[in-house]
Amino acid sequence: MAGNEWINGYLEAILDVGSSIRKKNDGKLKLSKFEKTKATKAKEGYLFSPTKYFVEEVINSFDESDLHRTWVKIASEDARRLAKRRLEREQGRNDAADDLSELSEGEKEKGDTNIPNLLHGLVRGENMELGRDSDTGGQVKYVVELARALANTQGVYRVDLLTRQVASPEVDSSYGEPIEMLSCPSNGSGSCGAYIIRVPCGPRHKYLPKESLWPHVPEFVDGALSHVVNMARALGEEVNGGKPTWPYVIHGHYADAGEVAAHLSGALNVPMILTGHSLGRNKFEQLLKQGRLSKEDINTTYKILRRIEGEEFGLDAAEMVVTSTRQEIDEQWGLYDGFDIKLERKLRVRRQRGVSCLGRYMPRMVVIPPGMDFSYVNTQDSLEGDGDLKSLIGSDRTQNKRHLPPIWSEIMRFFTNPHKPTILALSRPDPKKNVTTLLKAFGECQQLRELANLTLILGNRDDIEEVSNSSSVVLTTVLKLIDKYDLYGQVAYPKHHKQSEVPEIYRLAAKTKGVFVNPALVEPFGLTLIEAAAYGLPIVATKNGGPVDIVKALNNGLLIDPHDQKAIADALLKLVADKNMWSDCRKNGLKNIHRFSWTEHCRNYLSHVEHCRKRHPTSRLEIMTVPEEPMSDSLKDVEDLSLRFSMDGDFKLNGELDAATRQKKLIEALTQKASFNRTTSVNYSPGRRQMLFVIAVDCYNSNGDTTENFQEVIKNVMKAAGLSLGLGKVGFILATGLSLRETMEALRCCPLNIEDFDALICNSGSEIYYPWRDMVADADYGAHVEYRWPGENVRSMVPRLARVEDGAEDDISEYVDACNPRCYSYNIKPGAKVRHL
């Protein structure tokens, strides 16, 4: 039929199905009815006819003008259905708008700054290269959008997203920019808003995978701490009358950034939040279950043990852990030494009742579903009209497809019959995304192949050989499987797509009445599932991780075991073939999608942070300014001579020395400077030390008094260090179990001044004093030690553990003079028997 290529396409599909059935039945065509039949008493199945499916598509989906009156539709029935659909959609929009705009009455101010950090991957605000490699996935988009959303929330002044600076020729130059603005409120001023802060860490000109970043974590901590201090000063001048403004909370994303956040939290006494995204122990189990790699190979490839160590460290320091699902708490965090769900609940109840937890602590686990930016979603019902889709596959393609998204043509060119529903999978080419199992399920299910096409959006690539090893293996396997099952014309696998084209990819799948599938071994969040639902796509997703709660909330799809090929194929076939089920899932997804808005996410997030925020920067936490070191006369001579010595020529002007004489004088000045350093004491200036020596010493006699060895050790260390490096360059810290009073008395018998020390660590590490400033205990350090300090439990437990069963009550007694709130000392009666702890 001329002018009806779309009809011809369906007829071709019917003929293709018929020919394949003839081959199976030795030339006898058997068309089964699409009806539900019982295979056994325990299991039901479908006898499905693709032929009938396509005939019904032709009859039910197109206007009579397009059929040239070959088939007639009842216009009034169509109008009623369309009006009902529009009414339901409008109601869903109104419900979503109410939920998105509604904020709790009298919402409290939430604080000044929030510092999320994501150490690895390529992070930028626009045109994110999601899927470029295994480190640049959904977590990058999540963290960037979270930063934007928090910055736009009432009460939050600034959000800084810290990540690694990469100035490598392998990546775009934008990843080397130190600062990138993400958003700034329209009514904002000064430095408010959301920013990406890129901290130098590791080799500047090399992009490193996350497995290679662990040795550089301390360097990132130092850079991040420097940024926080500078911003505290700047924000204090801007909004707090000159008083430093410290972060409200520090949020670590993933294991490496979680370890960074733990260090920053301890240094600044600021509460920490952790989001794992993907957990090492769970990944370890899944990889072992696949059976492809041994434990040693897994650890070598993924540095999995170091990753687990970082997760345990972050878990121990966190006030709160944000998860996307209850399953993540029970089945993933429950694998860690630092968390036990039953014990955490008991400890929480004891704290609420004011009962001692005996020094035990575990972070609070909270479920906050991931959010989504609805501003990018085209709310127009993609099924209202199929004119653009017909234009793409019609006869006059050149003329009609000019206004269509280019990515549609890029995908459709792969298909022999583009009219079939599209099964869409969108992920990076990572083994844990399990795309190869999906492809096997599609290739081995003849009914699914006859009914649908498969679109695989697997990141961007120019040459498979240029991508990472793991991605190369996945992509190569995909091509081999397509060839093995002869899936040419049925599977699309475009090489490139832009992040801005992803919404059009979802919309194309929805127009063909397709399904979105996520068969990952484990999916911590499942943001792509939420995106697909927002565009009206039913979903089939892994039962491991975030999709469990997403499907429960949206009621728009099916869960599958990612290791079961048949289960994947059956779920896809069921959704694509059953039009009523497909329509119900679509409507449910569109109706309930507002539950995953960023507004709702931020409101829940800040509410939980407020309740879990037990750490606060003390009022004494101040920024010490570094005074300029006065320049000695000899150093001035060196500077003047070095400047003149750099001049070219051998001329003399107003009595100046010639080059040879200047060089001689410069050498003499440097020699005098070195001699001066060895013989002259230089006053301490904070931040000017090149090296610190910590002298940890305690020497007691039988009466508990310090001996002469105490003074001798200190004197000899300071003398040796000063002679070799110069006293002005070396700082000394004394660490002892003595109290401050006892320390000062012990040093009186020694030719040393208390001011010679940069710091005194007394009472077994529980107090720090700075003799060059004052002799008052550092309140910030005291607050740091006080955090989670189970003082009373330690006080009562030590005597009980040390005393033997038949020992007297007074064998061990508290030494009151040496005690303070964070250090307990005990006297042991001479001759008493005690256990060695």
Side-chain angles (χ1 to χ4, degrees), residues 545-648:
V548 175
D549 284 2
I550 291 175
V551 171
K552 182 178 179 181
L554 297 180
N555 190 25
N556 71 329
L558 303 171
L559 297 173
I560 46 91
D561 179 353
H563 299 281
D564 189 339
Q565 290 180 205
K566 188 176 185 306
I568 296 173
D570 289 346
L572 291 170
L573 184 62
K574 187 174 183 181
L575 265 177
V576 175
D578 189 336
K579 297 178 184 178
N580 292 330
M581 184 178 184
W582 186 92
S583 179
D584 290 341
C585 287
R586 170 185 168 79
K587 291 177 181 177
N588 292 339
L590 292 173
K591 180 181 178 181
N592 300 318
I593 193 62
H594 65 275
R595 299 183 182 182
F596 294 94
S597 68
W598 275 120
T599 302
E600 189 72 18
H601 181 97
C602 290
R603 184 166 55 188
N604 291 336
Y605 176 88
L606 293 172
S607 175
H608 284 296
V609 169
E610 180 68 25
H611 287 92
C612 291
R613 193 171 180 265
K614 297 183 177 66
R615 301 185 75 161
H616 302 272
T618 65
S619 58
R620 285 183 55 85
L621 186 57
E622 298 177 355
I623 299 172
M624 296 296 299
T625 57
V626 180
E628 289 295 328
E629 185 174 295
M631 192 179 296
S632 64
D633 292 338
S634 60
L635 187 57
K636 288 181 180 178
D637 293 338
V638 170
E639 184 187 57
D640 294 341
L641 285 170
S642 62
L643 289 174
R644 289 197 294 268
F645 183 65
S646 65
M647 297 171 61
D648 294 328

Side-chain angles (χ1 to χ4, degrees), residues 486-554:
D486 193 16
L487 298 177
Y488 299 104
Q490 296 176 284
V491 178
Y493 42 97
K495 296 178 68 172
H496 298 282
H497 72 282
K498 299 177 182 177
Q499 182 62 26
S500 59
E501 292 177 321
V502 171
E504 298 300 339
I505 296 174
Y506 288 126
R507 199 159 67 91
L508 176 61
K511 280 184 172 294
T512 63
K513 298 186 179 179
V515 175
F516 182 81
V517 58
N518 181 339
L521 299 176
V522 179
E523 184 56 69
F525 285 100
L527 282 175
T528 52
L529 297 172
I530 300 173
E531 291 174 347
Y535 287 94
L537 275 172
I539 61 177
V540 171
T542 176
K543 66 177 184 178
N544 298 328
V548 175
D549 284 2
I550 291 175
V551 171
K552 182 178 179 181
L554 297 180

Side-chain angles (χ1 to χ4, degrees), residues 356 358 789-798 814 821 824 826:
S356 172
L358 305 177
W789 166 244
E792 291 304 316
N793 297 302
V794 173
R795 193 174 205 162
S796 61
M797 188 64 66
V798 170
E814 194 170 291
Y824 303 121
Y826 298 87

